[in-house]
Each structure stands twice: as structure tokens, then as C-alpha cells.
Amino acid sequence: MFDLKETTVLVTGAGMGMGRLFALQAAREGAKHVVLWDIDEAALERVADEIRALGATPHPDAVDVADPAAIDQAAGTLLATLGAPDLVVNNAGIVRGNAWFWETEPRRDIEPVIRINTLAPMHIARTLLPAMLADASRERRILNIASAAATVSNPRMSVYAASKWAMLGWSDSLRLELQQSGHRHVRVTTFCPSYIATGMFEGARGPLLTPLMSPESAVAAAWNGMRRGTPIVMKPWTTRLAKVLKGILPLPAWDFVAGRIFHVYNSMDNFRGRH
């Protein structure tokens, strides 16, 4: 089990929702430094106050992870002041949905989703990993937040699904690369949850037997998986069932089950999201 005491933890999208909860959990478990990245400076300061109250030292930094130059600058500051982080939580993400793909607007609906959900975690890891690999005397972790949308196709969220399919493929491949190259002190966990009631998926309806998860239960599942070094965590149990059924059923049969029985294919019909 990964020990958080006296560690340095980086959380992206730390100003609200799951990112805030990840940051607070790190502080509760004894992290010494909690680095908070988000574009919302006011939200960062509120979370920083909560971190201080728990006895850890917050380092709020207004970073737009859609901008590689901003990541480079913030990562450089982190490495220069605190050294290599012990835990990186790639949590920042956005969603655009409830439109057919051909109705999406590239600059508003496609490019930001891919930059933030897919490219940003890759760039962050690429920037920080060399320093994390250099010291093999201590365990380190990367926790990447993907989605159940990375395993099951879903109408009206094609771009989001694409961003998370890419995240899952990259994240788990990175896990294998670290093993094969002998860097076993750095472990990667990928979290694939169904809809979470943070406001990000406001209006979305969970499939059959899949109610919206609370942010607290989702963070607990991801956090426990990260501490154990579990490669992939999928919650709730129906997400694993769907993955299995999709793998064994012929595609027309799976489309019938997903669309007519579990109602996966209609889950975004009334999506509104967070304004």
C-alpha cells in the first residue's frame, strides 16, 4: 500500500469536484505538499485554505492544462521548488455532449476536449516522469481518471468517448512500459467510472442498474486502487459487466442489449452539463 506521509502530490482540476476531494484526501493521509492546478484561481484559494486546515502545505497554481506551454512552466516550477512529485493525479477533464458529431463545433466542442482529457495528461506525465524515474528509492504513483465511456460507445458524446478511449489506451500502455523498462517503483492506475454526480454530467441518466455515483464513493474507489497499485479500476460493477458482454456478444446483439435493455445509448439524451 502506497504511503502518503511526507509526500508531494499534484492534482489537476483541483478547484472543485473530484479534484478537490483527491487533494483533501492526500492532506488527510499526511502529504506534506499538495500542488493544486486549476484555471479557477478563486476556487484554488478555497481549496488551499482547506488543505492548510488539515496540516499540509498547499501550492495553488492557476494552470490551463489545455496549453502545453503552461504545463511546462508550472511543471518546471514544481520540479525546481519541491522536486519530483510522489503522486500525480490527472483529474482535469471537460465534456461536451447532447449533439450529433456533425453538429459539434471544432474549436468549442472537439479541440478543448481532446487537449484537456487526452493530451494534457500525456504532456504532464512526459514532463514529470524523468524526475520521478530517476529516484528508485521510493514508491511513486500516477492516477489517471478515464471513464466507462472508454470501454463502451455512446451516442451524443462521441468526442468525449474518443478522448477517454485514448486516455485508457495510453495510460495502461504506460503502465506496461514502466514494467518492461524496469521502473517498477512507478505504478499507474487508470480509473474508469460511470456517471458521477459532480454537475459535470448534469441531466445524464445512468444505464440500468447504474445510478449516478457520488463523488465521494468514486474518489474512494480510485484512491484505494491507486494505493494498491491496481492497474485498472472500473466502477460500478455494471461497467465491468458491460465490458464483458460487449466482448463476447456479436455487435448487433450487443447494440440491442446496450440500447434496448440497459439504455446506455440514451443516457445522454437530456444532458445539460455544468455551465
Side-chain angles (χ1 to χ4, degrees):
M1 295 289 284
F2 182 61
D3 188 356
L4 272 290
K5 291 180 180 178
E6 297 298 307
T7 56
T8 297
V9 177
L10 166 64
V11 181
T12 68
M16 65 176 67
M18 290 174 60
R20 169 181 168 271
L21 296 178
F22 281 126
L24 295 178
Q25 188 63 31
R28 290 191 190 98
E29 294 193 14
K32 184 176 182 179
H33 299 284
V34 183
V35 182
L36 310 168
W37 287 4
D38 201 291
I39 59 173
D40 188 334
E41 294 187 50
L44 281 177
E45 290 302 326
R46 290 192 292 269
V47 177
D49 288 341
E50 294 182 278
I51 296 295
R52 291 188 191 95
L54 292 170
T57 302
H59 301 266
D61 195 354
V63 180
D64 180 2
V65 296
D67 181 2
I71 292 174
D72 287 343
Q73 181 176 352
T77 299
L78 166 59
L79 293 173
T81 57
L82 301 176
D86 299 284
L87 167 62
V88 176
V89 183
N90 279 311
N91 166 78
I94 62 171
V95 62
R96 299 286 188 270
N98 204 25
W100 309 120
F101 175 74
W102 53 90
E103 295 175 348
T104 57
E105 204 284 315
R107 292 189 178 180
R108 182 194 65 198
D109 301 324
I110 299 177
E111 294 175 13
V113 172
I114 299 300
R115 287 197 190 105
I116 294 172
N117 294 2
T118 307
L119 298 180
M122 292 184 185
H123 200 83
I124 291 167
R126 178 61 185 86
T127 305
L128 297 175
L129 260 174
M132 296 172 70
L133 298 178
D135 179 9
S137 65
R138 57 195 300 172
E139 289 279 318
R140 300 183 193 271
R141 294 285 193 272
I142 297 175
L143 173 58
N144 293 318
I145 309 304
S147 170
T151 63
V152 177
S153 305
N154 201 352
R156 297 182 180 271
M157 61 185 310
S158 59
V159 177
Y160 180 80
S163 73
K164 294 301 186 178
W165 283 47
M167 160 70 97
L168 175 57
W170 162 73
S171 181
D172 204 45
S173 296
L174 173 62
R175 173 185 67 85
L176 294 170
E177 289 181 357
L178 290 168
Q179 288 183 0
Q180 290 186 1
S181 62
H183 297 295
R184 294 179 178 270
H185 66 290
V186 181
R187 298 189 185 186
V188 178
T189 294
T190 311
F191 183 45
C192 297
S194 185
Y195 297 125
I196 303 172
T198 61
M200 183 174 173
F201 280 96
E202 187 67 30
R205 181 184 65 184
L208 180 68
L209 303 177
T210 312
L212 268 66
M213 298 178 65
S214 71
E216 291 78 11
S217 64
V219 166
W223 193 261
N224 290 335
M226 174 277 296
R227 290 195 64 208
R228 291 191 299 266
T230 305
I232 299 176
V233 177
M234 302 182 69
K235 291 290 182 178
W237 65 272
T238 49
T239 62
R240 299 191 297 275
L241 173 63
K243 188 173 186 294
V244 171
L245 290 177
K246 183 183 177 185
I248 63 177
L249 291 176
L251 187 57
W254 165 246
D255 281 346
F256 178 84
V257 170
R260 300 292 184 89
I261 298 177
F262 286 99
H263 304 292
V264 174
Y265 294 169
N266 299 106
S267 61
M268 289 289 285
D269 286 357
N270 298 312
F271 169 81
R272 298 185 300 277
R274 181 188 291 123
H275 293 291

